[in-house]
Amino acid sequence: MNNMIELCYCNGSVLVWNVEDAHRLRSEHRIVGNFIGCLPSLPRQDQMLGLPMELMTEEVFHLVTRGIVKIVEFKQLYHPAEEQHKQKRDDMHKASFSDQEISFKEERIKQLKQMADKIIEGKRRKTNGIVDGDLVLQEEIKKIPKMSEDLMMIQIFTRPFWKCQGEAADYTINQTLRCRVFSDLWEKGYYITAGEKFGGDFLVYPGDPFKFHSHYIAVCVDEHQLLTPYFLIQKGRLGTNVKKTVLLCSVNDNGEIMYQSLNWNGK
Amino acid sequence: MLSAKELLDLRSRKAHPRSLPTMPPKDFVPTHSAEETATINAIVEEKMTYLKEERAERRNLLTKADWLPQEKVAKIEKKLGGGWDVYGFDKNGKTYLQPEEALFLIELSKLELWYSGTPVSVQQAYQILLVEDLCSTLKYRVYSHLCRQGYRLVRRLLFGSSAAEPSDYDCIPHLLASASESVLIQFSDLEFLPESIRNRESTYVINKKDFLHFCVDREEVATSISLASTNNPLFSGKTKPLLLGNFIGDPYYANDGLYNPTDEELNQIDEDDLQISYDVYSPGRHFRKSNPGPPCFMLAIAEWSSNVPSLLCLERFKRRCGPKTVPLVAVSGAGSGVSFYQLKGVVSPM
């Protein structure tokens, strides 16, 4: 399956470094993930973060079991770059500088041409005679200084510029109750994100979280867990306060996922 | 890989970056209409254009640093661009960066990190800098979250010197210098006391151990403090303060407080203890690397899946923080962003 998306295993996290893949995961597979890097154009704000996108364990489990992704590790990136890559980088750097010098000059020429009339007029007044417009322009163009090295724009690559091959990562996830509940809710057509900030396991949305509020706070409970009144009140109150329904999720003896919603009637 | 034209466009855009996309108000129930789907796709597409942008910076604003894998720090060759009075730590005339600091500066397009003769990509930086024993992904999530908002985070070394500097405790030297375990203070001339407390006790017993909870290396504190070295103005008058901070008078520590751990309990070092990872200083121009002063917060970082710390653990944490600093715990996990909590003692009105 060559169309499998590659997820990058890195220091205990599973990350997506490719925007196209992040887009595909969201549009084709309803997997939202969580961006954790600074946004390149606006790094000092928290409203919108950028690559890499980190995935929850349950999201990874879901994608792996359905054969949508494979988890790879780029072991070579722990070590310094190979000589050929270093050389390539130096060559690219030099080439970029000459290209930028050329672009810089072209830009200046364009500016001069726009101001051509004024320049020619100025020369005419000085010499008080006939002036060859083209010659004047050529002289000005010759005067354009070379772009200073200081002004060169250097790119900080998000991903290595050479095509890195990843090896299959030694990363296994055990199926937990949370994984099962995640996949079941996903089967039902929901979008699911992390729920810890709301005191639960997942937040469950009827549509893309960009456009819709979540309806449920999913709380996974072991089938044989004794639910104390204290627990029920805690979760019930939580739901009411944030206007969401708390969904207690568990697996019964037949292996089916059971859902129980909590409706708080008290004041 | 950006072309020259794209790079130069980026340079001119940097002065006026486009603002974030405005999000339409959220709805509650989807209609699944074609119009709705189109709106959602448009939002997603727009967000993707921001995510696709690459980083680039002018050569004279981009600082180079070399990653030193043995020392686990990045060494700066030459500082370019502004702001270097707040980043990094200085040693022998050179500036060094901790791994999380280096990564954050790369993400800000302020730093180009070189590893053995060639610059690293952001992906490679995440891989080599966020290794568990250097700075985990969990720690970095919290670190970058606070730094983006302008806070300065300074690594707290275990058994380190960051906060409990002798100058904070200028008033205690004469107590610590004595060999005995406690000091008896008797006011012979009550006129020296402020009027509000003149009709209180004239004799006080101060226990040495009450001042030493926050420093691990007791010998170090006792010998390095000298009364002569203090320049605290409170010492220049006739009345000298006995104690700094709110250890006495803080109801949480009063003898009739709700929670009073024993000395053995407080002096234990538990595995479960909240390790203080960073000293956090508030955003603003007042921060100076050379003399940061007491931090606003001392930050411990935990995972969502970890247990709630015991009261004893929190008590130890609080005492380690000292009087001017608030103990703060940050919690994070894959997928969930960062949340914070702190526990404060309050006086019951009863």
Side-chain angles (χ1 to χ4, degrees), chain A residues 127-139:
Chain A
T127 60
N128 246 329
I130 298 165
V131 162
D132 183 350
D134 284 332
L135 207 62
V136 167
L137 206 57
Q138 288 307 319
E139 275 174 23

Side-chain angles (χ1 to χ4, degrees), chain A residues 88-232:
Chain A
K88 175 103 196 285
R89 183 258 156 200
D90 289 341
D91 295 339
M92 281 175 9
H93 185 88
K94 287 197 187 88
S96 178
F97 183 57
S98 6
D99 286 345
Q100 286 183 49
E101 275 189 310
I102 295 169
S103 273
F104 172 80
K105 190 159 184 185
E106 278 172 3
E107 196 54 41
R108 295 287 270 127
I109 291 174
K110 209 166 90 179
Q111 285 174 352
L112 278 175
K113 284 194 176 147
Q114 282 174 343
M115 299 212 318
D117 295 332
K118 292 206 195 95
I119 298 169
I120 293 171
E121 188 55 42
K123 283 273 185 218
R124 200 162 279 155
R125 269 195 246 118
K126 267 202 208 153
T127 60
N128 246 329
I130 298 165
V131 162
D132 183 350
D134 284 332
L135 207 62
V136 167
L137 206 57
Q138 288 307 319
E139 275 174 23
E140 289 302 310
I141 287 173
K142 277 198 200 123
K143 282 195 215 159
I144 297 175
K146 278 190 89 157
M147 182 178 96
S148 150
E149 256 196 78
D150 275 348
L151 295 180
M152 175 189 177
M153 287 298 279
I154 299 178
Q155 184 178 352
I156 300 164
F157 289 91
T158 307
R159 305 201 72 179
F161 61 83
W162 68 93
K163 195 93 176 61
C164 249
Q165 274 294 92
E167 315 157 9
D170 183 18
Y171 181 68
T172 44
I173 312 174
N174 294 323
Q175 185 185 60
T176 56
L177 173 61
R178 279 177 55 132
C179 288
R180 296 199 57 185
V181 170
F182 180 93
S183 293
D184 195 67
L185 286 167
W186 188 94
E187 297 281 340
K188 289 175 162 44
Y190 295 106
Y191 281 74
I192 308 148
T193 62
E196 281 86 2
K197 284 202 174 209
F198 284 82
D201 290 297
F202 305 116
L203 277 186
V204 186
Y205 298 77
D208 195 311
F210 282 154
K211 187 80 180 99
F212 302 100
H213 292 290
S214 56
H215 285 182
Y216 307 111
I217 303 173
V219 178
C220 298
V221 292
D222 200 55
E223 205 217 344
H224 302 290
Q225 185 177 330
L226 277 164
L227 297 180
T228 58
Y230 172 70
F231 178 87
L232 291 173

Side-chain angles (χ1 to χ4, degrees), chain A residues 8-13 15 17 19-20 22-23 26-27 33-52 54-57 59 73-81 85-86 89-90 92-93 96 99-100 103-104 107 147 149-162 191 193-197 205-215 243, chain B residues 1-5 7-8 10-11 14 17-21 23-32 36 39-41 43-48 50-62 87 104 106-112 114-124 126-132 137 140-141 144-149 152 304 333-339:
Chain A
C8 174
Y9 174 74
C10 171
N11 296 320
S13 304
L15 306 174
W17 280 103
V19 178
E20 283 75 28
H23 194 165
R26 196 186 190 104
S27 349
N34 187 39
F35 288 92
I36 61 169
C38 299
L39 195 66
S41 55
L42 290 162
R44 290 184 203 264
Q45 49 78 30
D46 244 10
Q47 301 303 107
M48 182 174 169
L49 298 181
L51 290 175
E54 190 176 17
L55 296 177
M56 289 193 286
T57 317
E59 286 174 316
E73 198 175 1
F74 295 96
K75 290 213 166 96
Q76 55 184 280
L77 292 183
Y78 287 116
H79 307 293
H85 299 314
K86 283 193 206 179
R89 183 258 156 200
D90 289 341
M92 281 175 9
H93 185 88
S96 178
D99 286 345
Q100 286 183 49
S103 273
F104 172 80
E107 196 54 41
M147 182 178 96
E149 256 196 78
D150 275 348
L151 295 180
M152 175 189 177
M153 287 298 279
I154 299 178
Q155 184 178 352
I156 300 164
F157 289 91
T158 307
R159 305 201 72 179
F161 61 83
W162 68 93
Y191 281 74
T193 62
E196 281 86 2
K197 284 202 174 209
Y205 298 77
D208 195 311
F210 282 154
K211 187 80 180 99
F212 302 100
H213 292 290
S214 56
H215 285 182
K243 296 190 178 53
Chain B
M1 169 83 194
L2 296 176
S3 70
K5 180 110 196 358
L7 285 168
L8 295 173
L10 223 172
R11 183 172 70 196
K14 267 194 180 242
R18 57 172 172 163
S19 49
L20 290 174
M23 297 288 278
K26 285 194 183 187
D27 292 327
F28 207 64
V29 181
T31 60
H32 301 295
E36 191 183 73
T39 316
I40 297 171
N41 288 339
I43 301 170
V44 174
E45 294 287 343
E46 196 183 5
K47 290 225 168 198
M48 294 295 152
Y50 284 78
L51 293 166
K52 276 198 180 100
E53 288 185 14
E54 283 281 319
R55 289 175 179 87
E57 186 54 274
R58 258 168 49 185
R59 193 165 180 272
N60 63 351
L61 292 178
L62 189 61
Y87 298 118
F104 185 67
I106 293 170
E107 295 206 276
L108 288 185
S109 305
K110 274 187 82 71
L111 189 80
E112 191 184 38
W114 286 59
Y115 184 27
S116 184
T118 204
V120 305
S121 57
V122 181
Q123 178 177 355
Q124 186 171 16
Y126 264 78
Q127 203 160 313
I128 61 177
L129 299 174
L130 298 188
V131 174
E132 192 66 41
T137 315
Y140 186 68
R141 251 186 257 119
S144 57
H145 175 91
L146 285 169
C147 286
R148 274 190 287 269
Q149 297 177 50
R152 315 277 184 219
W304 283 111
S336 64
V338 185
S339 294

Side-chain angles (χ1 to χ4, degrees), chain B residues 99-295:
Chain B
E100 61 271 20
E101 215 168 1
L103 185 56
F104 185 67
L105 290 168
I106 293 170
E107 295 206 276
L108 288 185
S109 305
K110 274 187 82 71
L111 189 80
E112 191 184 38
L113 187 69
W114 286 59
Y115 184 27
S116 184
T118 204
V120 305
S121 57
V122 181
Q123 178 177 355
Q124 186 171 16
Y126 264 78
Q127 203 160 313
I128 61 177
L129 299 174
L130 298 188
V131 174
E132 192 66 41
D133 57 342
L134 265 70
C135 169
S136 60
T137 315
L138 168 70
K139 261 199 195 165
Y140 186 68
R141 251 186 257 119
V142 176
Y143 179 87
S144 57
H145 175 91
L146 285 169
C147 286
R148 274 190 287 269
Q149 297 177 50
Y151 289 94
R152 315 277 184 219
L153 269 68
V154 177
R155 250 200 203 192
R156 180 118 166 104
L157 307 155
L158 267 184
F159 310 117
S161 49
S162 264
E165 289 297 322
S167 57
D168 284 343
Y169 310 108
D170 288 346
C171 45
I172 321 167
H174 53 291
L175 295 173
L176 295 176
S178 77
S180 58
E181 282 307 307
S182 65
V183 173
L184 179 74
I185 304 202
Q186 206 152 20
F187 290 94
S188 51
D189 188 349
L190 291 179
E191 272 186 41
F192 282 125
L193 290 172
E195 271 169 28
S196 53
I197 65 162
R198 260 179 220 169
N199 49 4
R200 291 214 196 161
E201 308 283 322
S202 61
T203 310
Y204 292 85
V205 175
I206 315 270
N207 294 311
K208 201 167 172 179
K209 64 176 171 53
D210 287 337
F211 298 94
L212 299 175
H213 286 304
F214 37 74
C215 12
V216 180
D217 191 349
R218 300 175 185 199
E219 276 85 301
E220 190 190 286
V221 178
T223 53
S224 62
I225 294 173
S226 71
L227 198 53
S229 68
T230 184
N231 51 13
N232 188 322
L234 288 174
F235 279 87
S236 47
K238 273 202 282 191
T239 339
K240 294 200 192 320
L242 283 172
L243 301 158
L244 190 67
N246 52 1
F247 289 138
I248 303 290
D250 182 332
Y252 200 40
Y253 290 97
N255 281 333
D256 50 0
L258 288 171
Y259 183 62
N260 243 332
T262 63
D263 291 329
E264 298 94 80
E265 286 175 313
L266 282 172
N267 293 332
Q268 247 177 281
I269 296 179
D270 236 330
E271 263 170 29
D272 266 351
D273 258 355
L274 285 168
Q275 294 298 340
I276 302 172
S277 297
Y278 296 102
D279 289 337
V280 182
Y281 297 87
S282 59
R285 294 184 173 282
H286 53 269
F287 179 80
R288 289 281 171 270
K289 263 193 293 193
S290 48
N291 184 21

